[in-house]
Amino acid sequence: MPTAPEAVRPIDLAEIREARVRIAGIVVRTPLVRLELGPDAPDIRLKLENLQPINAYKLRGAANAVAMLSASDRARGVWTISAGNAGQGVAYAARKAGVPCTVVAIETAPAAKIERMKALGAKLIPVSYEAAWKALDERAFPGAEGTFVHPFDDHNFITGHATMGLEILEDAPDLVAVIAAIGGGGLITGVGSALKALKREILVWGAEPETAAPAALSFAKGSPQVFKEWQASFVDGAGGQSLFPRMWQRMQPVVDGCIVVTLEETKRAMRLMAEKARVIAEGAGALPLAAALTGKAGRGPIVAIVSGGNIDLKKFCELIGSAT
């Protein structure tokens, strides 16, 4: 049966601080490191969420959402929909809580993400990207039983992500702008909610690939849009076929706009992080740096959120090797 969504409401700063305490035993307080690019380059700092136990930021939201489930909901088990990182996050948090987990997994997800979800004990139901996107909207899928944990349109999930914003501002009080990749919109909504509550003048930018940029189109049009030219790419953790109206409602008050980058710019950002900082980032994790390097977010200080590093190493080497 479909799960009825709760009403959209702002994320309160007190909720974010409570979530930080709640998930402290599971989530790593990740470092913020400056990317040394020379005196003429923008001042860019990398928030290394690829260093979480699942190598992606999704653990923050999953840990908070699972921790806040009632005893009866936990007893039913949990399920989610994912291209890999949310699935790993929910599976990891569920295993810690002793709760069974099922993931409706997009079949084109990288093998590394599929194997990690399996290793965490999740039952996988492979589906097409289109079927998964439809299930996200309907909040139901045949064979998926238990309590549904939405991978982005969930208040408690987003509140978990917002804890990252507290860390960013503590480590970079001179911050001018932050850039986060947009997939479903949960990451940028959470981080933006924390930053705008503490320092309203900070600019919060999204980043999307040219092949999947519904948020940028939505900001240009002033309403949630479908991206009709959507194409699959190695940037599997960001960019969607559309921006859900509920997520548009969440994002509007805390996000200032969205920067679109090319796939080539994304590959170059992946390579630059590997060369300069020895950081392995998946495509979605490199989008914010690629966006910062366009100059559209200013001279900085800019924090680029490296949202994840779950990529097959062979594929990673191929991509950075082909970057021009």
Side-chain angles (χ1 to χ4, degrees):
M1 291 290 291
T3 304
E6 63 178 351
V8 171
R9 59 185 174 87
I11 297 173
D12 187 76
L13 187 58
E15 291 180 283
I16 301 171
R17 288 174 169 151
E18 289 166 5
R20 187 180 193 179
V21 174
R22 190 179 297 118
I23 66 178
I26 298 178
V27 171
V28 172
R29 191 193 193 287
T30 55
L32 189 69
V33 300
R34 182 168 180 170
L35 189 61
E36 298 295 341
L37 299 175
D40 297 326
D43 178 353
I44 301 173
R45 295 98 184 265
L46 304 176
K47 179 61 171 170
L48 299 179
E49 286 294 295
N50 59 312
L51 298 182
Q52 291 293 350
I54 65 163
N55 302 122
Y57 78 97
K58 287 282 190 178
L59 183 57
R60 291 180 184 267
N64 194 51
V66 170
M68 295 187 74
L69 292 175
S70 66
S72 60
D73 282 343
R74 289 190 188 199
R76 296 171 58 214
V78 296
W79 72 279
T80 191
I81 304 164
S82 177
N85 287 341
Q88 289 180 73
V90 174
Y92 188 98
R95 188 176 70 172
K96 285 279 189 181
V99 176
C101 174
T102 298
V103 180
V104 175
I106 298 173
E107 56 196 6
T108 54
K113 294 183 179 181
I114 296 293
E115 291 306 314
R116 288 187 179 206
M117 286 188 284
K118 289 179 180 177
L120 288 167
K123 171 190 171 184
L124 302 188
I125 303 175
V127 299
S128 68
Y129 187 97
E130 290 73 16
W133 205 250
K134 185 170 182 285
L136 283 168
D137 192 28
E138 296 178 349
R139 297 170 179 258
F141 193 83
E145 299 178 351
T147 304
F148 179 51
V149 178
H150 200 289
F152 52 84
D153 184 12
D154 178 282
H155 188 88
N156 295 334
F157 213 93
I158 296 171
T159 303
H161 299 332
T163 61
M164 194 194 310
L166 303 181
E167 296 175 13
I168 288 172
L169 199 53
E170 287 169 357
D171 291 345
D174 56 344
L175 175 67
V176 170
V178 65
I179 309 177
I182 296 180
L187 169 59
I188 198 167
T189 298
V191 172
S193 295
L195 294 177
K196 294 291 188 180
L198 292 165
K199 196 173 180 181
R200 187 73 201 179
E201 63 269 28
I202 293 173
L203 295 175
V204 178
W205 294 98
E208 289 180 310
E210 59 186 344
T211 51
L217 183 62
S218 299
F219 277 103
K221 298 283 190 180
S223 61
Q225 298 291 314
V226 174
F227 193 78
K228 296 178 181 178
E229 298 80 25
W230 182 89
Q231 299 175 40
S233 76
F234 66 88
V235 186
D236 58 272
Q241 294 184 344
S242 63
L243 184 61
F244 287 7
R246 284 171 53 88
M247 295 309 295
W248 173 248
Q249 187 179 346
R250 294 184 191 277
M251 287 167 55
Q252 267 193 303
V254 296
V255 180
D256 294 285
C258 189
I259 299 168
V260 178
V261 297
T262 68
L263 295 182
E264 188 60 38
E265 287 171 332
T266 307
K267 287 193 288 185
R268 287 201 296 266
M270 293 170 71
R271 179 167 181 158
L272 187 64
M273 276 190 277
E275 290 178 337
K276 296 287 188 180
R278 295 300 185 257
V279 168
I280 294 176
E282 61 187 272
L287 285 176
L289 174 57
L293 292 172
T294 66
K296 294 178 181 178
R299 299 286 300 172
I302 302 167
V303 169
I305 298 173
V306 184
S307 55
N310 286 313
I311 183 170
D312 300 320
L313 288 181
K314 182 179 179 181
K315 183 65 174 178
F316 178 78
C317 293
E318 289 173 357
L319 290 169
I320 65 171
S322 66
T324 57

